[in-house]
Amino acid sequence: MSPTHEPFDELAACYALGALDGDDLTRFEAHLARGCTECEHALAQCREALVQPAVDLREVPPPRVKRALMERLARSRARRPRPARLGPGLKWVASVAVAAGLIASVVATYVSARYEQRLGEMAREASALREQISQQRQALALLRDPATRIITLAGLEPSPKAQGRMIWNERDGGILVAGGLPPAPQGKAYELWAVVGGKPIPAGLFGVDAEGRGSARVEPLAGGPEVAQFAVTLEPAGGVPAPTGPMYLASK
Amino acid sequence: MSNDGTELLRRMAGGDRDAFAAFYDAYAPLAFGLIRRILRNAAEAEEVFQEVFWEIWQSAADYDPKRGSPEAWVVVRAKSRGIDRARAIRRRSEMTAGALTQVVTAAREPGRDPGVGAEERGAVRGALGQLPQNQREIIELAYFDGLTQTEIAGRLNQPLGTVKTRMRLGMDKLRSLMGPRR
């Protein structure tokens, strides 16, 4: 070991713990980028050494987590849900991921660890985009159906400026889009009601973002009865079978 | 077990769900215990843990046995996701940061608090328990609380150089303890 290498041994230990910052981090990453097998070896050793403290903490997760994961696996139609299998609209995400993958395979260990992390982030982002696209496809299909109605919901006393649109089809259900609602307080959620034959039927719960916007996919009602009116009230977060709270939105 | 893990990851890369189920059974407790130690909030820990295993499924093809054991691969992911979430929580709320400081301060005085969780006592008995206390506390702050060397120096009111040296000595000791395991 060369004497000039000494400071990097210390930096490698801190780096493996994710604790390097400031100039030390810059200096060490520059050193690694120049290619240092000694440091790469030290880093790999440190990562192995950090396994034992985790072994000491071993804890079996609740069985429901495995069930949820296995269901998620079964649901993902692609054998391996990689960005590369996405639809045409998302090809750019896939090409970025592929490019990142290629880079990861040719650079040093520490760099590839970072790209792996980014790939994970991209995979999550891609899955969110896929979800968005599927929602938009459903919305389009719904709009093309001549039986679909668009119902306006107006803001009531607690938030007169709030607005809502319900794209509704008795057979397929619909989509609610709302805006201008105050964020639901802790432990509360907005509940949508479909009024059928003078009786409110719970039609789903939704929250709003910081700008007061919210949307919800609304399942069709059992038997597909004609809905006379929609309304939104603020209720306990779990939802209630009949409205109890103040009404924020209602259609005519 | 390492060889099994490598083989399971290879099969997972080809889309083998049974391999994933077996890999999960073998490695889930390793990741879950660590994330629980980092996050302490059971619901947050469960969510992050599930994300980690979902990522493991998605990126099994990235695993390269030449670069380390499956255990280390899982631990690096669990630690980094856990710390990411812990930092996000800290950013989200000043109050949480205050509570974390309390937790850290309490953990710094060993034996003082008989109510310390079983998992924590386990860690002290285990590999980390073999380190001198002044090395162990620094490694724990980095490993489980995600603090950087500068943050640790500030938290413990120690010179940065001392923190780095102790961290290195602690890591050397942990590396030397690996001998019998492999």
Side-chain angles (χ1 to χ4, degrees):
Chain A
M1 190 187 300
S2 64
T4 52
H5 193 267
E6 171 57 29
F8 294 114
D9 295 330
E10 186 170 276
L11 295 182
C14 300
Y15 186 80
L17 272 165
L20 269 196
D21 59 10
D23 293 344
D24 283 342
L25 181 61
T26 320
R27 195 154 64 105
F28 187 69
E29 292 201 325
H31 172 71
L32 273 183
R34 282 195 297 271
C36 174
T37 47
E38 211 171 304
C39 281
E40 273 167 24
H41 177 73
L43 277 179
Q45 284 273 305
C46 286
R47 280 196 280 266
E48 298 296 334
L50 288 172
V51 168
Q52 191 53 48
V55 169
D56 297 332
L57 292 165
R58 278 170 67 97
E59 185 177 338
V60 176
R64 62 172 174 270
V65 184
K66 185 178 180 186
R67 277 199 303 274
L69 272 167
M70 294 312 290
E71 277 166 24
R72 197 167 164 191
L73 250 70
R75 270 202 313 273
S76 65
R77 252 170 267 140
R79 269 190 333 140
R80 295 190 61 232
R82 284 303 202 138
R85 290 175 186 275
L86 290 177
L90 288 178
K91 279 218 171 106
W92 65 272
V93 176
S95 23
V96 172
V98 168
L102 283 175
I103 293 163
S105 68
V106 295
V107 294
T109 312
Y110 84 105
V111 177
S112 22
R114 301 208 145 184
Y115 278 101
E116 278 171 28
Q117 187 179 338
R118 283 191 200 147
L119 275 173
E121 281 160 14
M122 277 180 182
R124 270 199 307 281
E125 191 183 320
S127 123
L129 287 171
R130 223 173 338 187
E131 176 69 15
Q132 255 177 33
I133 286 184
S134 134
Q135 280 173 3
Q136 284 166 6
R137 280 205 185 120
Q138 282 175 19
L140 272 178
L142 200 62
L143 283 169
R144 282 201 197 101
D145 188 328
T148 297
R149 297 183 280 153
I150 298 181
I151 300 149
T152 304
L153 286 82
L156 300 176
E157 188 49 43
S159 58
K161 285 189 180 152
Q163 293 182 11
R165 296 267 188 291
M166 183 75 201
I167 306 162
W168 178 252
N169 181 313
E170 257 69 34
R171 194 189 62 240
D172 297 323
I175 293 163
L176 171 75
V177 189
L181 287 167
Q186 185 79 30
K188 300 271 189 179
Y190 289 105
E191 186 157 14
L192 175 72
W193 304 93
V195 181
V196 175
K199 263 191 63 182
I201 299 171
L205 294 159
F206 65 98
V208 296
D209 63 19
E211 268 106 62
R213 289 181 304 230
S215 65
R217 162 86 187 132
V218 185
E219 295 305 316
L221 302 176
E226 186 166 338
V227 176
Q229 200 191 3
F230 286 97
V232 169
T233 60
L234 187 64
E235 303 291 352
V240 285
T244 60
M247 196 178 288
Y248 280 72
L249 287 168
S251 67
K252 294 225 171 83
Chain B
M1 175 154 141
S2 292
N3 287 336
D4 282 348
T6 303
E7 169 60 14
L8 289 173
L9 281 165
R10 198 189 54 75
R11 283 167 53 198
M12 282 156 65
D16 183 337
R17 289 180 201 161
D18 294 336
F20 177 79
F23 188 85
Y24 180 96
D25 291 341
Y27 292 88
L30 187 64
F32 188 63
L34 177 56
I35 293 171
R36 284 277 285 134
R37 173 67 178 80
I38 291 171
L39 284 168
R40 293 172 191 263
N41 173 313
E44 299 263 9
E46 213 173 293
E47 198 183 307
V48 170
F49 165 76
Q50 195 171 324
E51 272 316 303
V52 166
F53 261 82
W54 181 247
E55 268 180 37
I56 284 174
W57 163 249
Q58 291 186 308
S59 46
D62 298 337
Y63 172 69
D64 178 356
K66 288 197 289 292
R67 297 214 302 255
S69 65
E71 284 87 349
W73 195 66
V74 168
V75 164
V76 163
R77 279 160 183 271
K79 172 183 182 292
S80 115
R81 286 275 163 265
I83 296 291
D84 285 351
R85 178 66 66 96
R87 286 185 179 150
I89 293 170
R90 242 180 295 173
R91 275 197 299 274
R92 221 155 50 206
S93 151
E94 292 292 332
M95 274 165 56
T96 313
L100 267 175
T101 312
Q102 280 172 17
V103 168
V104 166
T105 315
R108 248 162 55 195
E109 292 165 51
R112 189 197 63 125
D113 180 8
V116 166
E119 79 278 10
E120 209 158 290
R121 287 198 303 274
V124 172
R125 272 201 309 273
L128 290 173
Q130 316 234 358
L131 305 184
Q133 201 257 334
N134 60 18
Q135 293 169 19
R136 194 187 76 227
E137 69 177 350
I138 287 172
I139 293 207
E140 284 183 343
L141 284 171
Y143 198 175
F144 302 138
D145 294 293
L147 299 190
T148 66
Q149 52 187 18
T150 313
E151 289 168 329
I152 294 170
R155 178 75 57 92
L156 299 181
N157 202 16
Q158 287 173 5
L160 181 58
T162 309
V163 168
K164 288 197 279 191
T165 305
R166 287 181 174 162
M167 203 179 277
R168 192 257 173 107
L169 290 173
M171 285 304 299
D172 284 351
K173 173 81 176 163
L174 282 180
R175 281 166 69 174
S176 74
L177 292 174
M178 273 196 305
R181 202 171 67 86
R182 43 195 61 236

